[in-house]
């Protein structure tokens, strides 16, 4: 990692950066799109955020890990819940988000749209 690896702040934010699929690097290596984090008045770490499509893949992997099985092995009700959670997290605003989720769930795009429509109808939208 970096010479700042012993800074408690870096250890504290690492799980968040990992969950987002980001990368931690020394502040002096930060690019214009990276986020430099400060601790006790000094730059200690830079975070390179992933592209949105990469974030969706990372979220899907984390959801599989949380379920303890491939998302495609879930029953229909559990898949609907996955779609609900992903919609709340903005997964379907990502280009090809529906296709990516459909592939992970082992269903068609049409099925994902049905799940989304069912959820929106339940909300009264």
């Amino acid at each position: 990692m970096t010479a700042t690896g012993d800074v408690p702040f870096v250890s504290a934010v690492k799980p968040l950066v990992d969950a987002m699929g980001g990368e931690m690097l020394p502040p002096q290596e930060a690019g214009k799109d990276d986020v430099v984090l400060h601790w006790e008045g000094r730059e200690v770490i830079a975070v390179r955020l992933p592209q949105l499509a990469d974030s969706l893949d990372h979220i899907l992997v984390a959801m599989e890990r949380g379920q303890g099985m491939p998302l495609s092995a879930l029953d229909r009700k559990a898949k609907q819940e996955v779609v609900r959670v992903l919609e709340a997290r903005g997964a379907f605003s990502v280009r090809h988000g529906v296709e990516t989720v459909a592939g992970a769930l082992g269903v068609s795009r049409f099925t994902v749209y049905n799940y989304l429509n069912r959820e929106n109808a339940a909300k009264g939208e």
Side-chain angles (χ1 to χ4, degrees), residues 73 75 85:
D75 64 24
V85 169

Side-chain angles (χ1 to χ4, degrees), residues 2-99:
T2 68
T4 60
D6 60 338
V7 175
F9 179 76
V10 174
S11 298
V13 299
K14 185 175 182 343
L16 176 62
V17 173
D18 290 346
M20 293 183 318
E23 176 186 355
M24 296 172 72
L25 50 141
Q28 62 272 19
E29 294 179 20
K32 67 178 182 72
D33 294 328
D34 297 331
V35 179
V36 177
L37 303 176
H38 295 78
W39 178 256
E40 297 181 345
R42 64 183 178 102
E43 296 178 343
V44 291
I45 199 78
V47 176
R48 182 161 294 152
L49 299 172
Q51 298 298 315
L52 287 177
D54 295 337
S55 291
L56 178 54
D57 290 337
H58 198 79
I59 289 167
L60 290 168
V61 168
M63 290 183 90
E64 278 193 345
R65 207 172 29 247
Q67 294 288 336
M69 66 177 72
L71 297 178
S72 60
L74 298 174
D75 64 24
R76 183 177 54 84
K77 185 173 179 165
K79 288 179 181 181
Q80 290 171 335
E81 176 63 16
V82 166
V83 168
R84 186 192 67 72
V85 169
L86 290 171
E87 182 181 28
R89 294 183 75 177
F92 301 110
S93 63
V94 175
R95 186 167 188 229
H96 302 296
V98 170
E99 293 86 350

